[in-house]
Amino acid sequence: MGVLSSINRYPVKSCRGHSARSATVEAWGLAGDRRWMVVDEAGEVVTARERPRLMLVTPELRPDGGLNLTSPDAPPLAIDVPAGNLVPVQVWKSELVASLAAPEACAWFSKVVGEPVRLVHLDDPTRRHPNPAFALDTDYVSFADGYPLLLATSASLAQLNDWIADGPRADEGPLPMTRFRPNVVIDETVAWEEDGWRRIRIGSAFFRVVKGCDRCVVTMTDPDTARRTKEPIATLARYRRWDGETWFAMNLVPDNPGVDIAVGDEVEVLESVAAPDGPPR
């Protein structure tokens, strides 16, 4: 058994998130999570991998689905959910259409990013599916990188921070969980045992644990300053490197969408295998 210790939503992909005491689990992720995205003029996703200052944008999700935006690089702006005006967009290998936001929203993000970009809204999340190698054809995903939710455990973060403290870049630690941008964080577990989880229950919500999460340069970006560091990738590469990637956290797919989860919910592992000595898949 474990306990759900935090819930996090990220209204705009690559921008700051916010914690919540409870959230509704939808088929494509937590309600309000990653339904907005910044794209370039060709419609390809723009993320904090290339534009780290996106992480300084704070989107406040309004009850009507619109956003109140703040950033050190632009004045505050309120934007509404767009209606119609579908444009083609691409998130990695996924090609779909999304609703184009108002011109002032696109201009606002262009100022933040420093190049012409557009803001889009995923009005119909059933347009996008996760990788069929790890999901069903009836599964969906928002603008998240690959899967509806990301789970991390406090025990694994504590172990990672211990490794960092014993390494050559101890001054870069300890790292907060915000570096990894999980939707749900679980306490009262053993480090890395989540690698072997296959099905879990959080409160009354049931999930498949479909694969581990290979990590990128976004985790090396301080979410408070947008400054890049070497950690955690440098340390993960020493202890958690397989198939040319580094691994932290697990991807979830909901099995009974429509229910709510809340901080303090009991977490039960329903199906598991021994944690593999290799990629957590």
Side-chain angles (χ1 to χ4, degrees):
M1 296 292 183
V3 175
L4 179 60
S5 61
S6 70
I7 299 170
N8 306 287
R9 293 187 298 190
Y10 303 85
V12 182
K13 185 176 181 66
S14 273
C15 296
R16 281 182 175 165
H18 64 268
S19 61
R21 296 295 301 175
S22 63
T24 300
V25 180
E26 298 177 332
W28 37 83
L30 296 182
D33 186 63
R34 296 176 173 94
R35 292 288 294 275
W36 300 80
M37 178 177 70
V38 179
V39 298
D40 63 17
E41 292 186 302
E44 294 188 7
V45 60
V46 175
T47 75
R49 293 165 174 82
E50 312 86 24
R51 298 291 181 265
R53 291 193 69 81
L54 277 173
M55 298 184 75
L56 302 183
V57 172
T58 301
E60 177 191 351
L61 186 63
R62 302 199 311 253
D64 64 358
L67 299 173
N68 295 327
L69 300 169
T70 58
S71 166
D73 301 316
L77 180 69
I79 60 174
D80 297 326
V81 175
N85 196 10
L86 298 178
V87 296
V89 299
Q90 184 168 352
V91 194
W92 315 131
K93 294 182 179 181
S94 299
E95 297 181 359
L96 63 157
V97 294
S99 292
L100 182 64
E104 56 267 28
C106 300
W108 193 92
F109 271 99
S110 295
K111 182 175 182 179
V112 169
V113 171
E115 64 181 78
V117 296
R118 297 180 293 171
L119 180 68
V120 296
H121 177 259
L122 185 56
D123 55 306
D124 181 1
T126 63
R127 293 194 186 110
R128 187 171 180 233
H129 297 272
N131 184 342
F134 300 98
L136 306 176
D137 58 9
T138 52
D139 294 332
Y140 304 104
V141 61
S142 65
F143 283 142
D145 273 357
Y147 299 89
L149 284 87
L150 185 67
L151 173 151
T153 70
S154 56
S156 294
L157 178 64
Q159 177 64 81
L160 174 60
N161 278 326
D162 285 347
W163 288 337
I164 293 173
D166 290 337
R169 297 181 181 84
D171 61 310
E172 292 190 15
L175 298 180
M177 187 64 85
T178 50
R179 285 289 186 106
F180 300 95
R181 300 171 68 85
N183 294 113
V184 291
V185 179
I186 310 301
D187 282 352
E188 300 181 14
T189 60
V190 176
W192 315 119
E193 72 173 351
E194 66 271 19
D195 288 359
W197 294 353
R198 295 298 177 261
R199 292 181 60 247
I200 65 169
R201 174 182 62 82
I202 302 176
S204 58
F206 293 83
F207 301 89
R208 279 166 282 143
V209 187
V210 294
K211 71 179 295 291
C213 184
D214 50 303
R215 308 315 306 226
C216 69
V217 68
V218 169
T219 63
M220 300 163 63
T221 308
D222 185 327
D224 295 324
T225 65
R227 184 177 66 89
R228 287 269 159 85
T229 63
K230 297 295 185 181
E231 297 293 358
I233 297 298
T235 294
L236 286 173
R238 291 168 56 200
Y239 295 96
R240 302 268 303 168
R241 183 177 178 85
W242 300 288
D243 289 358
E245 305 287 352
T246 57
W247 302 82
F248 186 98
M250 302 296 291
N251 289 291
L252 306 181
V253 175
D255 270 337
N256 63 330
V259 301
D260 291 347
I261 57 174
V263 170
D265 276 351
E266 178 185 83
V267 179
E268 181 183 8
V269 179
L270 303 174
E271 182 181 335
S272 65
V273 300
D277 184 19
R281 294 176 177 168

